[in-house]
Amino acid sequence: MLEWSLLNIKPDAVARNIIGQIIHRVENAGYRIIAIDKVQLEREEAEAFYDVHRDKPFFTKLCDYISSGPCVPMVVEGEEVIQGLRDLIGATDPAEAAPGTIRKDFALNGTQNSVHASDSSERAAVEINFFFSRHKLYLLTRNEYRG
Ligand code: CMP
């Protein structure tokens, strides 16, 4: 099934100038970038994005980190892309991530782990809507040169 997922390149990866290396892996896997942006989240926006983790012990650290610098969110399209991106990025903690995954190769630790990808179709819809307007996505996908 053709799906959209939200991939976010996190501040540790943006700071180390490896946006292109990560995007290269996504495109090499056969996926297409539908929309892309570079933003810095306010602390309150970070809390809203990670609201599902509000009760976790790492919530404060996670929100501090994600709002500490620019990140690069993007909408990625492909067949079964939601599970496909989860496989491509690997386990949350790079020490546990499989060889060849983005987190194994680039992540610094379980918090500064370079990328986030939606873990379900429900979360993909919420997360895409968080970063991108429906109108922007409409304009980017309405013709045969959608790229
Ligand atoms: P992400 O895929 O963005 O989803 C939730 C994030 O919480 C996760 O990546 C990590 O950055 C962070 N996270 C998850 N588990 C832990 C943990 N045990 N300690 C610190 N951060 C964590």
Side-chain angles (χ1 to χ4, degrees), residues 1-142:
M1 184 175 49
L2 193 66
E3 297 174 330
W4 283 5
S5 187
L6 188 284
L7 179 73
N8 191 23
I9 302 180
K10 295 184 178 183
D12 70 275
V14 174
R16 285 177 291 140
N17 216 22
I18 55 174
I19 297 168
Q21 292 187 60
I22 292 172
I23 289 176
H24 186 61
R25 291 192 184 204
V26 172
E27 291 186 331
N28 257 5
Y31 303 129
R32 180 174 292 276
I33 293 166
I34 296 295
I36 188 165
D37 203 356
K38 187 178 193 184
V39 296
Q40 177 154 2
L41 295 181
E42 303 279 7
R43 170 70 199 214
E44 292 71 23
E45 293 173 316
E47 290 180 13
F49 184 80
Y50 281 121
D51 190 58
V52 291
H53 296 302
R54 196 169 283 276
D55 297 332
K56 306 272 174 57
F58 56 80
F59 182 70
T60 298
K61 191 163 88 171
L62 173 62
C63 293
D64 285 346
Y65 159 64
I66 233 35
S67 60
S68 67
C71 56
V72 176
M74 65 197 81
V75 178
V76 183
E77 180 183 78
E79 290 291 327
E80 317 298 336
V81 70
I82 295 171
Q83 185 59 48
L85 279 185
R86 298 290 293 182
D87 295 342
L88 195 67
I89 71 176
T92 304
D93 185 341
E96 293 163 15
T101 59
I102 291 172
R103 283 170 170 163
K104 183 69 172 183
D105 293 341
F106 297 123
L108 302 176
N109 53 56
T111 299
Q112 297 170 295
N113 60 355
S114 299
V115 281
H116 163 84
S118 308
D119 65 5
S120 66
S121 56
E122 292 75 18
R123 285 300 302 165
V126 169
E127 293 173 3
I128 288 168
N129 184 56
F130 181 91
F131 282 110
F132 299 95
S133 74
R134 289 174 72 91
H135 183 62
K136 176 170 183 166
L137 292 169
Y138 162 73
L139 292 174
L140 287 168
T141 56
R142 67 190 158 147

